[in-house]
Amino acid sequence: MMPFDIDVPYRMRPNMRPLGENEPITYQDKDYDYYISEKKKIMAQAYGNNWNMHLRAKVLNYLQCHTMKEAITKYQEDFVVWAPDLKGQLSIQMASVCFPSGWDPLEKVNKSFAEIHEPVADNKTIMAAADHIAKMITEKGPFVRSVWSIANSPDLNRHPAVKKPWTNEGLESMWYRAERQVTVPLGNAAIFFIRTYVTPLLSVDIKRIRESINSMTDEILEYKSLHHVAKVLNENS
């Protein structure tokens, strides 16, 4: 199922669609053992102020697990839980994210959909729909979307503490990194699965990638750390 859709021109948008009838919510494939072994090295999880026993029981029941540790090591996907905070605002109340793509999961707990996406470049479309999306994913779905970028490492974990800055990497040292994101409603809450994929950039459609990156604004290139990638791609066109 790689690669995912690559927009030309590139657009920063929610791009959510209903999950197809025959599309699974989560996967267990040939890479399962590797993903789980990498998760066990990290075991990342964070709890918000409103993480209560009722919500915890609801999530574990859906995941068919007895403990959060079991849930983390059962699924290849990372996941976060959206639920009302102490003021009734939908926000991330729990995060089990072992493989973040350049962000710190601890910083997102207790933040609303709008607050989380406020730093995103060219975010007008997303911000305009933020409240609607937050409510919709608790009432309807499942929904699926995908996002992608280019990384200088095949490592699944790209936490800011371990993420390496770009230096002089060529095409052979670049990796196409994509996330398949699925939301599932849980009453007044929702669970948000994140499945990360990494493959050598040279194994995907370089021309399509170049055209998409060349259509990005400077703000998006900066946000996604793609200025060096754009330079190398155009030097090798």
Side-chain angles (χ1 to χ4, degrees):
M1 50 183 299
M2 288 281 287
F4 295 98
D5 291 338
I6 299 170
D7 285 345
V8 178
Y10 181 86
R11 291 176 289 173
M12 192 70 79
R13 54 179 179 147
N15 199 28
M16 298 170 67
R17 65 170 177 80
L19 191 70
E21 183 177 346
N22 296 317
E23 291 182 274
I25 291 174
T26 63
Y27 281 91
Q28 288 192 6
D29 57 29
K30 62 180 178 60
D31 296 320
Y32 179 81
D33 290 342
Y34 172 66
Y35 275 65
I36 299 306
S37 68
E38 290 299 297
K39 277 194 167 192
K40 287 180 178 178
K41 295 177 184 178
I42 302 167
M43 290 299 291
Q45 56 184 318
Y47 297 92
N49 294 331
N50 195 34
W51 181 246
N52 56 55
M53 295 300 293
H54 176 70
L55 181 59
R56 181 177 184 274
K58 181 186 292 188
V59 172
L60 289 176
N61 180 65
Y62 175 80
L63 296 174
Q64 297 185 335
C65 295
H66 294 96
T67 66
M68 291 309 304
K69 182 177 180 179
E70 179 187 357
I72 294 167
T73 56
K74 177 180 178 179
Y75 293 89
Q76 284 176 265
E77 287 80 4
D78 284 330
F79 56 89
V80 301
V81 177
W82 294 87
D85 62 16
L86 296 174
K87 297 180 180 179
Q89 183 179 41
L90 285 169
S91 59
I92 290 181
Q93 290 301 301
M94 179 266 176
S96 169
V97 183
C98 296
F99 309 139
S101 296
W103 53 282
D104 183 352
L106 282 172
E107 294 181 353
K108 307 302 181 183
V109 175
N110 290 321
K111 288 190 176 181
S112 68
F113 192 93
E115 289 171 331
I116 287 172
H117 291 86
E118 195 279 330
V120 175
D122 288 4
N123 65 359
K124 292 181 180 179
T125 301
I126 295 175
M127 294 299 286
D131 290 342
H132 171 71
I133 293 172
K135 188 171 186 294
M136 179 181 69
I137 63 175
T138 67
E139 298 177 346
K140 300 177 181 179
F143 294 101
V144 62
R145 70 186 294 261
S146 64
V147 296
W148 63 272
S149 190
I150 309 300
N152 59 354
S153 166
D155 295 341
L156 291 170
N157 180 18
R158 297 273 290 171
H159 189 285
V162 299
K163 180 182 177 181
K164 300 175 183 177
W166 288 98
T167 53
N168 60 347
E169 293 90 344
L171 292 178
E172 70 284 352
S173 299
M174 295 182 181
W175 302 80
Y176 173 82
R177 182 182 176 96
E179 292 180 357
R180 178 183 186 260
Q181 303 174 351
V182 177
T183 62
V184 180
L186 296 176
N188 67 339
I191 189 165
F192 181 81
F193 290 102
I194 306 169
R195 172 64 188 277
T196 302
Y197 297 84
V198 182
T199 192
L201 180 59
L202 291 173
S203 70
V204 301
D205 189 342
I206 293 287
K207 180 180 178 182
R208 185 78 176 176
I209 293 285
R210 182 189 301 113
E211 290 174 348
S212 185
I213 288 178
N214 283 340
S215 71
M216 294 178 181
T217 64
D218 284 341
E219 289 76 14
I220 292 178
L221 290 172
E222 181 68 27
Y223 174 74
K224 295 173 74 69
S225 299
L226 291 176
H227 278 295
H228 174 72
V229 177
K231 177 176 179 292
V232 173
L233 282 171
N234 286 304
E235 288 175 347
N236 289 272
S237 61

